[in-house]
Amino acid sequence: MEKNFGVGGFTLLEILLSVAFIAAIATLSLATYENLPARNDLEIASASLKDMIYRAEELSSAVSEDSPWGVKIEDDKLILFKGNAYAARDANFDETTTMFNTTVSVQQEFIFSKVSGYPESTGATTLLSSPIGESKTISVNEKGVIVIE
């Protein structure tokens, strides 16, 4: 007579199911992790643009260097500049931020008036993350309020 003391091995079916379960979890985790860097780049680019617009507003309202300030949005970079227009700026005061894995829908510039700090023109620009196909739209209204959608 054989006695069973509760000690036994795993069946082949149990091992295969465990391996399949672990493989499925790893696949889902990898797919999620794969998009994180591109999403992070988009978040950083939108936060950098928002901060740069606020900085241009502050410098203009403080009449820093006795000049209006603005932000130029190009394909892969943001430029804070001193002057009435990007083309007529004083390049010695430029501050550039590069956007990684992010492009813009429309190259645009926002210029803020001295003293009031209000934008001379309003509008919106869309930042696009090509690797994942996501976007964020940043708009500036007539009071200089920035909205990110």
Side-chain angles (χ1 to χ4, degrees), residues 100-136:
F100 297 100
N101 294 319
T102 306
T103 57
V104 295
S105 60
V106 178
Q107 292 189 8
Q108 187 171 352
E109 65 185 66
F110 293 106
I111 301 166
F112 297 89
S113 300
K114 291 192 309 185
V115 182
S116 72
Y118 290 148
E120 294 179 3
S121 64
T122 61
T125 192
T126 302
L127 301 177
L128 308 164
S129 178
S130 53
I132 58 173
E134 290 186 12
S135 65
K136 288 203 177 266

Side-chain angles (χ1 to χ4, degrees), residues 46-146:
S46 63
S48 295
L49 177 55
K50 180 181 175 184
D51 292 344
M52 197 171 274
I53 290 171
Y54 277 136
R55 184 160 155 72
E57 279 182 296
E58 290 172 2
L59 289 169
S60 293
S61 63
V63 195
S64 179
E65 300 293 328
D66 193 30
S67 175
W69 290 76
V71 175
K72 172 71 172 168
I73 305 165
E74 292 189 343
D75 283 332
D76 63 345
K77 63 185 169 183
L78 309 170
I79 304 161
L80 175 73
F81 64 90
K82 175 189 159 204
N84 292 315
Y86 180 73
R89 75 191 189 284
D90 184 346
N92 293 323
F93 291 90
D94 285 2
E95 294 179 19
T96 304
T97 300
T98 303
M99 297 184 294
F100 297 100
N101 294 319
T102 306
T103 57
V104 295
S105 60
V106 178
Q107 292 189 8
Q108 187 171 352
E109 65 185 66
F110 293 106
I111 301 166
F112 297 89
S113 300
K114 291 192 309 185
V115 182
S116 72
Y118 290 148
E120 294 179 3
S121 64
T122 61
T125 192
T126 302
L127 301 177
L128 308 164
S129 178
S130 53
I132 58 173
E134 290 186 12
S135 65
K136 288 203 177 266
T137 301
I138 292 90
S139 57
V140 178
N141 72 12
E142 63 277 351
K143 296 291 185 181
V145 176
I146 302 165

